[in-house]
Each structure stands twice: as structure tokens, then as C-alpha cells.
Amino acid sequence: MIRLNDITSLVQSYHPKADIELIEKAYVFSAKAHQGQIRLSGEPYLSHPLEVAYILAQLRMDVVCIAAGLLHDAVEDSDATLDEIEKLFGGETATIVDGVTKISKMHFVSKEQHQAENVRKMILAMSTDIRVILVKLADRLHNMRTLGFHPENKQIRIATETLDIYAPLAGRMGINRIKSNLEDLCLFYLEPEIYAKIKDETGQRRGEMEKFMTEVKAILSAKLSEVKIQAAIKARQKHFYSIYKKMVDQDLNVNQVYDILAFRVIVNSIKECYEVLGHIHSIWKPVSGRFKDYISVPKANMYQSLHTTVIGPLGQRMEIQIRTWDMNRVAESGIAAHWRYKEEGSVATKADQKQFSWLQQLLDWQKNLQDPREFLESVKMDLFPDDVYVFTPKGEVKSFPKGATVIDFAYSIHSEIGEKCAGARVNGRMVPLRYQLRNGNIVEIITSAKQHPTKDWLNLVKTPRAKTKIRQWIRTEEREEGINLGRALLEKALQHDGLSQVNVFKSEQVGAVAKELSFHSVEDMIAQIGFGKLSPRQVVGRLKPRIDMEIDRSRGLVSKMVSRFRRARPDHGIKVNGVSDMLIHFAKCCSPLPGEQVVGFITRGRGITVHLASCRHVREADPDRLVPITWEAVGKEAYPATLRVTSVERKGILADISAIISQKDANIIHAEIKTTVDNKGIAFFTIEVESYRQLQEIVRAIKKVKNVLIVERV
Ligand code: MN
């Protein structure tokens, strides 16, 4: 087990003036917080924070980071609070501990590549201080090293998560040591047989490889001392996971993977790097297309080196990397190398931190962007870098621009869920629609059948998808309103000109007029009337001559038609010229009831329409087409009538009115309620009555209902 002393002496070795007291204080605090807790390995819990702090010291981190490493589990796994930590160790330490705690609380169920990428971005976005990620990586590394004490299903879950999320994250941060360490541990738990095989085979070839390494080193160092370049030559076996990757990618057996050795030449200057490259190529033949110059074009994680592959002394390929000592440090510790103590021992400044947050964004762009448009989009996103990442209840991660609300989330699932979104539960608590998503939120949308988008929603959403869908919905809604209003206006104009028999949606003549005015459809034309962009008079003006022509053609056919419409029909209680079995229907404009004064209007092809004698349409109609009709005493038959009831808004008023209508033995076939701006309720009831008398009784009764102002027949 690592002891405090191991850590402090390691820190002092790279930073003699370090504030060791802070580390000691953190150690005492952590020991007290985790007192009595035991790891599955049987070791005291404290061994874990100690190991984590030691890994951070190996990365040559500053004391704040190492203290945070010692304290990283204190808030989650003991009674200690963040406030205490802030008071005792300062804001920076507290921020790091808080960040690590938040990430540790989340469970990633990453099955898809795309999801894993989102999770990695979420972790980056949540880490306002880059040291949060470094502590988290050290934490994960030690947990992976002690994973053997867990049951198998947990081993697989954690190893999968590590391979999907944390190893790539370490790679992105340029910390190759941790990355390859994590990858090998993952391979051990996820592919134990392959791991054993690689270990076995490479073990058997060890002698042969040692010989080969010695030979290459000897040739190289002879050449370099001849040209007087001071260099360190290192040879190592590639880590198991990279051998495994080669086997999978190229479909090879372990013993078919030849270049399992990698050589590294470390020199003092960049100039010497290129010189060494020349000398290597003069000794061994380079494999074309394998040379990479990461010195002039560094990787986004700041990695720099020359890479070349040559045909070695035994005729096999070998990779050689050439770099300076500075570059070597960056290659091993990546971003951590930049967070270390400065030469003179000063801690990283605020300006550095700013640079790191910029760096963090740069790291984000490192996604092998090939399409320049994609790159631009990515840059755009990162100039406003505040994306937030949240979970669905199933653990899927979704990303949103900062300021996005639960409505954005709802639309990202499905536009229907967006339209019906009434609120949400975030981490189990109810929140309103305007709630802005925060990193790590678990969001569950609540829908309501009564909900629908409004114009206000446009101010609440941030995603283009939600904006477009809401606008679409509003447009459709407005169009419907436009059509309704347009229809009413057009019908009124038609009535005025005595053309109320025209069905605006079905009439061929109206369709012809729409075409004449170059609309795509009758509906388009009517919507434009509703929007006030087309006058109904214009339409009627064009319609009237067409209809008059039709009527002219039908003039004189009255008697013929009357006989044509004679056929067996259910008894409707109407006699036309004393004949009772005519094809008749009741006019919708005035809905006559038995007992009222009526008159018949002969239509083209639809029989006789029964109007009230007082109906304006009758007065304006062609007298040649009117026929006298009378009511007959008949059995029960229901006739529709519509009432408009204006009232002051009151709870229960509709129930009262409905009750009266059914008490009077009438059926309600349709009811519609509107509220006016001045808080009046206007209700339309279409009811079925048997006689005019019954209707009058109902009207009288409704008038007596409290708060009812006007009852009229429409
Ligand atoms: Mn931990």
C-alpha cells in the first residue's frame, strides 16, 4: 500500500518548494472521513485515495490536484461536506472534488459509438477545471487495477465503460501512459482468452525480441555516435491492446503481428530529430506512406514526434518515433504536462487556466474532421462552447445548446411529444416548461392531450428543430383559423347575393373561380379571404355570372323536377302541393321546425329545400323555384336547431345548460364553447327537437339559468 510519505517525497522530487502541508492536511481529513471503511480487497478504504494521489504525483501534478485526489471520494462516500472542504482546502480543491463527485454519480450505458462520444463531451463540458478529468482518470485507473475483487458482471460493466469512455478520454488529453494502461486492463476483463494468448505468445518470443532489440539499438547508437548526436534509444513492446487492435483490424493471429516492437529516439533539439530521421533512412529502407511529421503539424492534443516505419535487419517492419525530451514529456502525460509546476515552481496562473479552457475546446475538434463544413460547424459550436448534456430516463445522453429548455428536449424525442409537452420531471422533481437543462440532468417529459404549442414557446427553445416544428404547428393552426374565418366571410357575401345554396368547398363553380384567381386550391383561396388578403366580393363577383347561367339552364324544369323527386322516403311530415313523399331536406340557414311557416325551394338535383317563410334566402330566391309546402301531423321525428348562449363565465354553467336541454327531452348533437376577451362565454348547442314549441320551451328555460345573458337561435 502506498504511504503518505511516498507521495510527499515524489512531489518534493519534482517540486522542492511544494506546500506539502496541504497534502498532509488532506490526508488527515481523508483518513478521518473514510475511517472504518474497507475496500473489497480487504484493504482500508484510505488505500484508494492514496493510490489515486500517487498516480497524480506520477503525472507531476500540483498540490491542489493531489489534495483533491486524496479527497475525491470524501463527499460521496462519507459524511464530509463540500463546504468543509472549501473552508479547509480552498475553492479550487473543492471545485475539483465537486466535479469528480458529479461525474462519479452518473452511470453511462453506452452502447453506440455516437453515445460514447456524447458522454465524453459531457464529461469535458462538466469539467470546468481540467484537473477534474485528471483526478477522475487516476481514480478509474486504480479502480481498474483492483477490479478483480468485484463480481464478474460488474467487471464487465466497468471495463466496458472504461474502454468506451475513459480510455479515449485519456487519449484525447494526450495521456498515453494512462490510456494504454486502461486499455490493457479492459482487454484483460473483456477478452480474457485473447489477453492470455497475447501474453503467452509474446512471452515465448521474448528472447528472440530481446536479441532483435539489442541489435537494432547497437546499429543505431553506432551510427549516431559517429555523427555525434547525443540520443537516448528506447525499445519497448507495444501494449497488448494495440496488438489486439492490429489482430482485429488486419485479421491476424498473434504470431502474425510482426511490429510488436516500437523504437524511440529522444534527442535534444528539433533539428536533430530531422537529422536522425535521415540517418535511419540511410540504414534501413523506409516503408512508403508511413512517414508522419507531427512536429510541423502537431496533433490537437499537442502530441509531437516524427514517425517512420522501416524494413529492419531481419527483413521485418519496425516503427521508430523520433522526438525531443520536451515532446516526450507531452507524449506521456499530455495535458497534464502543461499543468505541472513551472521550472521556477510557480503554480499555474489564471491566464494558464484560460488557455486550458480554450485548449479543452480544441480537443473537442480533434474528431478526425474530414469535411470542411463539418469542421466549420464544429468551430461554430465551440465558439459558443456551452453545450449541455443530459440523460433520457433510459440513460441515453443527448446534447443541447446552453439555455435549451425541456421543450427542446421533448422535440428531440419526437415532434408529437414536443407538441404535447406540458412539463417535465428533472432528477425526479417537477419543473416548468421554461426550465433550462443542466449537465447531467435526467429528464422525463410529461405530456398532456390538452397541450399545444404557442408563440411564446419560440422564445423558450434553442434548437432549430424545435423552432421549426413550433412554427410549422402555428402556421397550420393559423391556416385553419384563416379557412374558418374566410369561409364565414365568403358565405356571408354569398348570402348577401342570394347564393347561399352554394357549398363553398364542393361547388365546381367555386373551384373554377379559385383556378381563375390562380390559387392552388379552394382552401388556399378561402384562407386568403380569412387573412384579409382577398376580398370575398371579388370571389362572389366572379361566381355570380357562372351560377346565374346554371339557373337559367334549369328554369322551366320545375314541374319535371318535382315529379323526379317523388320517391319513397321516410316520413318527414312535409307535404309539397299536398304530396308527402318528396325528396326534401331542411335548410341549414334557418333550420325550420314543425309548426313554423315554411316554403320550399327547388334545387338542382338535391330535391326541395325547406326554408322558413321569413328566411332572407326565400325573399331573395328566384320566385319560379319556390313551391308552397305545409306540415303534416306526424309521429316523432327529430329536427336539428342551433342555439347560441351568451353568458358571463361561471363554473358549472355548461353543465346546468346541458342538464336543462336533456330534461326537456332534447338531444345535444354538438356543443362548442368559446371565451371572449371580456370573459364572456359563448356556447353553441346543436340540439334535436321535435317541434318549434319544444324549442321555445328550452330557450325559455335556459334564459332562467344564472349568469346567462342571451339565448338566440342561429
Ligand atoms: Mn474513487
Side-chain angles (χ1 to χ4, degrees), residues 437-457:
L437 303 173
R438 283 178 216 150
N439 274 314
N441 279 168
I442 301 168
V443 186
E444 190 187 341
I445 293 297
I446 294 162
T447 57
S448 156
K450 287 182 198 148
Q451 183 67 293
H452 62 77
T454 66
K455 276 186 179 159
D456 295 343
W457 284 22

PDB file of all heavy atoms in Angstrom, residues 437-457:
ATOM      1  N   LEU A 437     -32.070  23.231 -19.219  1.00  0.00           N
ATOM      2  CA  LEU A 437     -31.362  21.975 -18.949  1.00  0.00           C
ATOM      3  C   LEU A 437     -29.966  22.239 -18.398  1.00  0.00           C
ATOM      4  O   LEU A 437     -29.307  23.191 -18.792  1.00  0.00           O
ATOM      5  CB  LEU A 437     -31.251  21.159 -20.232  1.00  0.00           C
ATOM      6  CG  LEU A 437     -32.577  20.832 -20.909  1.00  0.00           C
ATOM      7  CD1 LEU A 437     -32.336  20.179 -22.258  1.00  0.00           C
ATOM      8  CD2 LEU A 437     -33.412  19.926 -20.023  1.00  0.00           C
ATOM      9  N   ARG A 438     -29.548  21.369 -17.471  1.00  0.00           N
ATOM     10  CA  ARG A 438     -28.192  21.460 -16.929  1.00  0.00           C
ATOM     11  C   ARG A 438     -27.481  20.126 -17.110  1.00  0.00           C
ATOM     12  O   ARG A 438     -28.125  19.074 -17.144  1.00  0.00           O
ATOM     13  CB  ARG A 438     -28.240  21.799 -15.440  1.00  0.00           C
ATOM     14  CG  ARG A 438     -28.532  23.270 -15.232  1.00  0.00           C
ATOM     15  CD  ARG A 438     -28.642  23.612 -13.761  1.00  0.00           C
ATOM     16  NE  ARG A 438     -29.670  24.624 -13.625  1.00  0.00           N
ATOM     17  CZ  ARG A 438     -30.434  24.762 -12.562  1.00  0.00           C
ATOM     18  NH1 ARG A 438     -30.285  23.962 -11.541  1.00  0.00           N
ATOM     19  NH2 ARG A 438     -31.352  25.707 -12.521  1.00  0.00           N
ATOM     20  N   ASN A 439     -26.166  20.203 -17.180  1.00  0.00           N
ATOM     21  CA  ASN A 439     -25.377  18.998 -17.381  1.00  0.00           C
ATOM     22  C   ASN A 439     -25.748  17.912 -16.391  1.00  0.00           C
ATOM     23  O   ASN A 439     -25.858  18.155 -15.196  1.00  0.00           O
ATOM     24  CB  ASN A 439     -23.887  19.312 -17.227  1.00  0.00           C
ATOM     25  CG  ASN A 439     -23.295  19.790 -18.516  1.00  0.00           C
ATOM     26  OD1 ASN A 439     -23.547  19.195 -19.568  1.00  0.00           O
ATOM     27  ND2 ASN A 439     -22.528  20.864 -18.464  1.00  0.00           N
ATOM     28  N   GLY A 440     -25.943  16.701 -16.910  1.00  0.00           N
ATOM     29  CA  GLY A 440     -26.170  15.558 -16.035  1.00  0.00           C
ATOM     30  C   GLY A 440     -27.618  15.377 -15.606  1.00  0.00           C
ATOM     31  O   GLY A 440     -27.932  14.398 -14.939  1.00  0.00           O
ATOM     32  N   ASN A 441     -28.520  16.301 -15.971  1.00  0.00           N
ATOM     33  CA  ASN A 441     -29.939  16.148 -15.624  1.00  0.00           C
ATOM     34  C   ASN A 441     -30.510  14.864 -16.222  1.00  0.00           C
ATOM     35  O   ASN A 441     -30.179  14.504 -17.349  1.00  0.00           O
ATOM     36  CB  ASN A 441     -30.765  17.319 -16.214  1.00  0.00           C
ATOM     37  CG  ASN A 441     -30.695  18.584 -15.382  1.00  0.00           C
ATOM     38  OD1 ASN A 441     -31.108  19.636 -15.829  1.00  0.00           O
ATOM     39  ND2 ASN A 441     -30.175  18.490 -14.175  1.00  0.00           N
ATOM     40  N   ILE A 442     -31.358  14.209 -15.446  1.00  0.00           N
ATOM     41  CA  ILE A 442     -32.132  13.103 -16.011  1.00  0.00           C
ATOM     42  C   ILE A 442     -33.518  13.667 -16.283  1.00  0.00           C
ATOM     43  O   ILE A 442     -34.196  14.127 -15.367  1.00  0.00           O
ATOM     44  CB  ILE A 442     -32.221  11.918 -15.043  1.00  0.00           C
ATOM     45  CG1 ILE A 442     -30.806  11.428 -14.711  1.00  0.00           C
ATOM     46  CG2 ILE A 442     -33.063  10.800 -15.639  1.00  0.00           C
ATOM     47  CD1 ILE A 442     -30.770  10.447 -13.554  1.00  0.00           C
ATOM     48  N   VAL A 443     -33.928  13.687 -17.548  1.00  0.00           N
ATOM     49  CA  VAL A 443     -35.132  14.415 -17.937  1.00  0.00           C
ATOM     50  C   VAL A 443     -36.215  13.461 -18.424  1.00  0.00           C
ATOM     51  O   VAL A 443     -35.979  12.619 -19.284  1.00  0.00           O
ATOM     52  CB  VAL A 443     -34.819  15.423 -19.068  1.00  0.00           C
ATOM     53  CG1 VAL A 443     -36.043  16.272 -19.367  1.00  0.00           C
ATOM     54  CG2 VAL A 443     -33.644  16.311 -18.674  1.00  0.00           C
ATOM     55  N   GLU A 444     -37.395  13.610 -17.842  1.00  0.00           N
ATOM     56  CA  GLU A 444     -38.531  12.791 -18.247  1.00  0.00           C
ATOM     57  C   GLU A 444     -39.661  13.753 -18.602  1.00  0.00           C
ATOM     58  O   GLU A 444     -40.057  14.576 -17.785  1.00  0.00           O
ATOM     59  CB  GLU A 444     -38.924  11.908 -17.063  1.00  0.00           C
ATOM     60  CG  GLU A 444     -39.914  10.860 -17.366  1.00  0.00           C
ATOM     61  CD  GLU A 444     -40.352  10.151 -16.085  1.00  0.00           C
ATOM     62  OE1 GLU A 444     -39.630  10.236 -15.070  1.00  0.00           O
ATOM     63  OE2 GLU A 444     -41.417   9.548 -16.097  1.00  0.00           O
ATOM     64  N   ILE A 445     -40.172  13.654 -19.813  1.00  0.00           N
ATOM     65  CA  ILE A 445     -41.166  14.621 -20.278  1.00  0.00           C
ATOM     66  C   ILE A 445     -42.572  14.184 -19.863  1.00  0.00           C
ATOM     67  O   ILE A 445     -42.900  13.011 -19.895  1.00  0.00           O
ATOM     68  CB  ILE A 445     -41.105  14.742 -21.821  1.00  0.00           C
ATOM     69  CG1 ILE A 445     -39.764  15.367 -22.240  1.00  0.00           C
ATOM     70  CG2 ILE A 445     -42.264  15.568 -22.367  1.00  0.00           C
ATOM     71  CD1 ILE A 445     -39.537  16.776 -21.755  1.00  0.00           C
ATOM     72  N   ILE A 446     -43.366  15.175 -19.453  1.00  0.00           N
ATOM     73  CA  ILE A 446     -44.765  14.899 -19.126  1.00  0.00           C
ATOM     74  C   ILE A 446     -45.617  15.493 -20.238  1.00  0.00           C
ATOM     75  O   ILE A 446     -45.442  16.667 -20.590  1.00  0.00           O
ATOM     76  CB  ILE A 446     -45.132  15.523 -17.771  1.00  0.00           C
ATOM     77  CG1 ILE A 446     -44.338  14.828 -16.678  1.00  0.00           C
ATOM     78  CG2 ILE A 446     -46.623  15.417 -17.508  1.00  0.00           C
ATOM     79  CD1 ILE A 446     -44.264  15.600 -15.401  1.00  0.00           C
ATOM     80  N   THR A 447     -46.501  14.697 -20.813  1.00  0.00           N
ATOM     81  CA  THR A 447     -47.326  15.205 -21.905  1.00  0.00           C
ATOM     82  C   THR A 447     -48.768  15.299 -21.448  1.00  0.00           C
ATOM     83  O   THR A 447     -49.169  14.665 -20.477  1.00  0.00           O
ATOM     84  CB  THR A 447     -47.268  14.281 -23.134  1.00  0.00           C
ATOM     85  OG1 THR A 447     -47.685  12.980 -22.731  1.00  0.00           O
ATOM     86  CG2 THR A 447     -45.877  14.222 -23.714  1.00  0.00           C
ATOM     87  N   SER A 448     -49.524  16.130 -22.156  1.00  0.00           N
ATOM     88  CA  SER A 448     -50.942  16.252 -21.877  1.00  0.00           C
ATOM     89  C   SER A 448     -51.661  16.385 -23.212  1.00  0.00           C
ATOM     90  O   SER A 448     -51.208  17.100 -24.100  1.00  0.00           O
ATOM     91  CB  SER A 448     -51.198  17.487 -21.015  1.00  0.00           C
ATOM     92  OG  SER A 448     -52.534  17.925 -21.201  1.00  0.00           O
ATOM     93  N   ALA A 449     -52.771  15.670 -23.344  1.00  0.00           N
ATOM     94  CA  ALA A 449     -53.513  15.705 -24.607  1.00  0.00           C
ATOM     95  C   ALA A 449     -54.031  17.110 -24.882  1.00  0.00           C
ATOM     96  O   ALA A 449     -54.236  17.497 -26.025  1.00  0.00           O
ATOM     97  CB  ALA A 449     -54.675  14.719 -24.543  1.00  0.00           C
ATOM     98  N   LYS A 450     -54.219  17.901 -23.813  1.00  0.00           N
ATOM     99  CA  LYS A 450     -54.791  19.237 -23.996  1.00  0.00           C
ATOM    100  C   LYS A 450     -53.737  20.254 -24.410  1.00  0.00           C
ATOM    101  O   LYS A 450     -54.056  21.367 -24.800  1.00  0.00           O
ATOM    102  CB  LYS A 450     -55.429  19.700 -22.689  1.00  0.00           C
ATOM    103  CG  LYS A 450     -56.719  18.987 -22.389  1.00  0.00           C
ATOM    104  CD  LYS A 450     -57.300  19.542 -21.098  1.00  0.00           C
ATOM    105  CE  LYS A 450     -58.332  18.583 -20.523  1.00  0.00           C
ATOM    106  NZ  LYS A 450     -58.364  18.627 -19.070  1.00  0.00           N
ATOM    107  N   GLN A 451     -52.459  19.888 -24.259  1.00  0.00           N
ATOM    108  CA  GLN A 451     -51.390  20.861 -24.514  1.00  0.00           C
ATOM    109  C   GLN A 451     -51.196  21.092 -26.009  1.00  0.00           C
ATOM    110  O   GLN A 451     -51.447  20.213 -26.820  1.00  0.00           O
ATOM    111  CB  GLN A 451     -50.091  20.322 -23.889  1.00  0.00           C
ATOM    112  CG  GLN A 451     -48.918  21.252 -24.011  1.00  0.00           C
ATOM    113  CD  GLN A 451     -49.096  22.512 -23.191  1.00  0.00           C
ATOM    114  OE1 GLN A 451     -49.949  23.345 -23.473  1.00  0.00           O
ATOM    115  NE2 GLN A 451     -48.291  22.661 -22.167  1.00  0.00           N
ATOM    116  N   HIS A 452     -50.781  22.287 -26.350  1.00  0.00           N
ATOM    117  CA  HIS A 452     -50.348  22.551 -27.728  1.00  0.00           C
ATOM    118  C   HIS A 452     -49.369  23.711 -27.730  1.00  0.00           C
ATOM    119  O   HIS A 452     -49.340  24.514 -26.791  1.00  0.00           O
ATOM    120  CB  HIS A 452     -51.544  22.811 -28.634  1.00  0.00           C
ATOM    121  CG  HIS A 452     -52.334  24.024 -28.237  1.00  0.00           C
ATOM    122  ND1 HIS A 452     -51.906  25.299 -28.507  1.00  0.00           N
ATOM    123  CD2 HIS A 452     -53.492  24.138 -27.575  1.00  0.00           C
ATOM    124  CE1 HIS A 452     -52.780  26.157 -28.019  1.00  0.00           C
ATOM    125  NE2 HIS A 452     -53.749  25.480 -27.434  1.00  0.00           N
ATOM    126  N   PRO A 453     -48.551  23.824 -28.772  1.00  0.00           N
ATOM    127  CA  PRO A 453     -47.545  24.894 -28.809  1.00  0.00           C
ATOM    128  C   PRO A 453     -48.195  26.271 -28.888  1.00  0.00           C
ATOM    129  O   PRO A 453     -49.325  26.407 -29.372  1.00  0.00           O
ATOM    130  CB  PRO A 453     -46.777  24.612 -30.108  1.00  0.00           C
ATOM    131  CG  PRO A 453     -47.104  23.209 -30.471  1.00  0.00           C
ATOM    132  CD  PRO A 453     -48.468  22.945 -29.942  1.00  0.00           C
ATOM    133  N   THR A 454     -47.496  27.273 -28.395  1.00  0.00           N
ATOM    134  CA  THR A 454     -47.945  28.654 -28.551  1.00  0.00           C
ATOM    135  C   THR A 454     -46.771  29.471 -29.062  1.00  0.00           C
ATOM    136  O   THR A 454     -45.643  28.984 -29.086  1.00  0.00           O
ATOM    137  CB  THR A 454     -48.386  29.260 -27.200  1.00  0.00           C
ATOM    138  OG1 THR A 454     -47.213  29.361 -26.369  1.00  0.00           O
ATOM    139  CG2 THR A 454     -49.425  28.415 -26.508  1.00  0.00           C
ATOM    140  N   LYS A 455     -47.067  30.701 -29.441  1.00  0.00           N
ATOM    141  CA  LYS A 455     -45.987  31.553 -29.955  1.00  0.00           C
ATOM    142  C   LYS A 455     -44.913  31.799 -28.903  1.00  0.00           C
ATOM    143  O   LYS A 455     -43.740  31.959 -29.217  1.00  0.00           O
ATOM    144  CB  LYS A 455     -46.553  32.890 -30.437  1.00  0.00           C
ATOM    145  CG  LYS A 455     -47.072  32.785 -31.850  1.00  0.00           C
ATOM    146  CD  LYS A 455     -47.508  34.119 -32.413  1.00  0.00           C
ATOM    147  CE  LYS A 455     -47.986  33.914 -33.835  1.00  0.00           C
ATOM    148  NZ  LYS A 455     -48.851  34.973 -34.328  1.00  0.00           N
ATOM    149  N   ASP A 456     -45.307  31.816 -27.630  1.00  0.00           N
ATOM    150  CA  ASP A 456     -44.338  32.024 -26.548  1.00  0.00           C
ATOM    151  C   ASP A 456     -43.243  30.967 -26.556  1.00  0.00           C
ATOM    152  O   ASP A 456     -42.116  31.222 -26.150  1.00  0.00           O
ATOM    153  CB  ASP A 456     -45.036  31.957 -25.180  1.00  0.00           C
ATOM    154  CG  ASP A 456     -46.019  33.091 -25.014  1.00  0.00           C
ATOM    155  OD1 ASP A 456     -45.907  34.060 -25.789  1.00  0.00           O
ATOM    156  OD2 ASP A 456     -46.887  33.001 -24.130  1.00  0.00           O
ATOM    157  N   TRP A 457     -43.599  29.797 -26.977  1.00  0.00           N
ATOM    158  CA  TRP A 457     -42.621  28.697 -26.973  1.00  0.00           C
ATOM    159  C   TRP A 457     -41.398  29.044 -27.809  1.00  0.00           C
ATOM    160  O   TRP A 457     -40.299  28.581 -27.518  1.00  0.00           O
ATOM    161  CB  TRP A 457     -43.253  27.410 -27.508  1.00  0.00           C
ATOM    162  CG  TRP A 457     -44.169  26.734 -26.546  1.00  0.00           C
ATOM    163  CD1 TRP A 457     -44.806  27.315 -25.491  1.00  0.00           C
ATOM    164  CD2 TRP A 457     -44.536  25.365 -26.541  1.00  0.00           C
ATOM    165  NE1 TRP A 457     -45.556  26.387 -24.838  1.00  0.00           N
ATOM    166  CE2 TRP A 457     -45.414  25.182 -25.461  1.00  0.00           C
ATOM    167  CE3 TRP A 457     -44.224  24.262 -27.351  1.00  0.00           C
ATOM    168  CZ2 TRP A 457     -45.977  23.945 -25.169  1.00  0.00           C
ATOM    169  CZ3 TRP A 457     -44.784  23.039 -27.063  1.00  0.00           C
ATOM    170  CH2 TRP A 457     -45.653  22.876 -25.984  1.00  0.00           C
TER     171      TRP A 457
END
